[in-house]
Amino acid sequence: MKLIRRLALILIAFTIITGCATVKHSPPGTATTIVLTRHGDRDMFSDALNATGLQRAQALVEAVSGLNITAIYHPDLNRNKQTAQPLAQHLGITPQVVNSQPNMDQLTPQFLNQYAGQTIIWIGNKHNLQRIYSILGAEGAAPTSYGDLYIVNVRASGAPEVIKKRYGP
């Protein structure tokens, strides 16, 4: 009897834990696209982009042309701001800046609901890119290398479609 009770408790705990890791979807009847990329290149221990990073930030404009981006988001770090600046200027969009350690568990559903049926870009850092990629239910490695550009099409159900590209020098 104790064994059955223990197994039941373990099963309940497992259900609760895995339930918290639910994949997020776009609202019914919509598909939302979230473009994920890491900030441009920088030198070790510097928060500013190096020359290659500045070139990559300029190349981002061409890399996402035709995607009809309606919002730009990034953490409040200089390297992310510098990466977003050329795209924001080109599109005439004011980037939405979040704290330097964003809670992607809260932001991801916000992106999907607030921008349902639209396309946004998240210019992130290794850790938050890995987290949002996981929350969206995408498979494989997240876009954590300089120049990675993943276009994640999130539907109302099922796995997201991911188009993996590279850009910049």
Side-chain angles (χ1 to χ4, degrees):
M1 195 65 168
K2 286 182 181 181
L3 179 60
I4 293 173
R5 189 174 298 146
R6 280 188 185 159
L7 289 174
L9 289 173
I10 291 170
L11 182 60
I12 290 168
F14 179 77
T15 302
I16 291 170
I17 290 169
T18 58
C20 293
T22 305
V23 172
K24 303 299 181 209
H25 293 96
S26 193
T30 68
T32 304
T33 302
I34 300 179
V35 179
L36 301 173
T37 192
R38 184 177 178 194
H39 59 77
D41 313 49
R42 66 182 178 125
D43 295 323
M44 183 80 77
F45 306 116
S46 174
D47 190 35
L49 298 183
N50 60 26
T52 303
L54 293 170
Q55 289 176 330
R56 194 176 306 281
Q58 290 293 331
L60 181 59
V61 175
E62 179 65 28
V64 299
S65 68
L67 293 180
N68 197 26
I69 291 175
T70 57
I72 301 168
Y73 277 82
H74 65 79
D76 187 17
L77 296 167
N78 189 42
R79 59 190 178 260
N80 299 78
K81 289 179 194 177
Q82 286 182 293
T83 304
Q85 193 274 330
L87 180 62
Q89 187 174 14
H90 176 77
L91 296 175
I93 296 173
T94 301
Q96 302 299 308
V97 182
V98 298
N99 76 48
S100 62
Q101 303 224 346
N103 182 341
M104 297 316 300
D105 294 320
Q106 292 176 347
L107 279 175
T108 304
Q110 176 186 327
F111 293 159
L112 295 172
N113 289 316
Q114 184 174 349
Y115 297 100
Q118 299 177 51
T119 301
I120 69 165
I121 187 168
W122 172 259
I123 300 169
N125 305 82
K126 284 183 181 181
H127 179 72
N128 54 52
L129 285 163
Q130 290 170 339
R131 184 66 192 134
I132 192 170
Y133 198 67
S134 173
I135 291 168
L136 294 175
E139 294 187 8
T144 58
S145 295
Y146 297 129
D148 282 349
L149 183 75
Y150 288 16
I151 303 163
V152 185
N153 186 16
V154 184
R155 297 181 272 276
S157 65
E161 174 191 15
V162 181
I163 300 168
K164 299 178 180 182
K165 295 185 173 189
R166 299 265 317 147
Y167 72 99

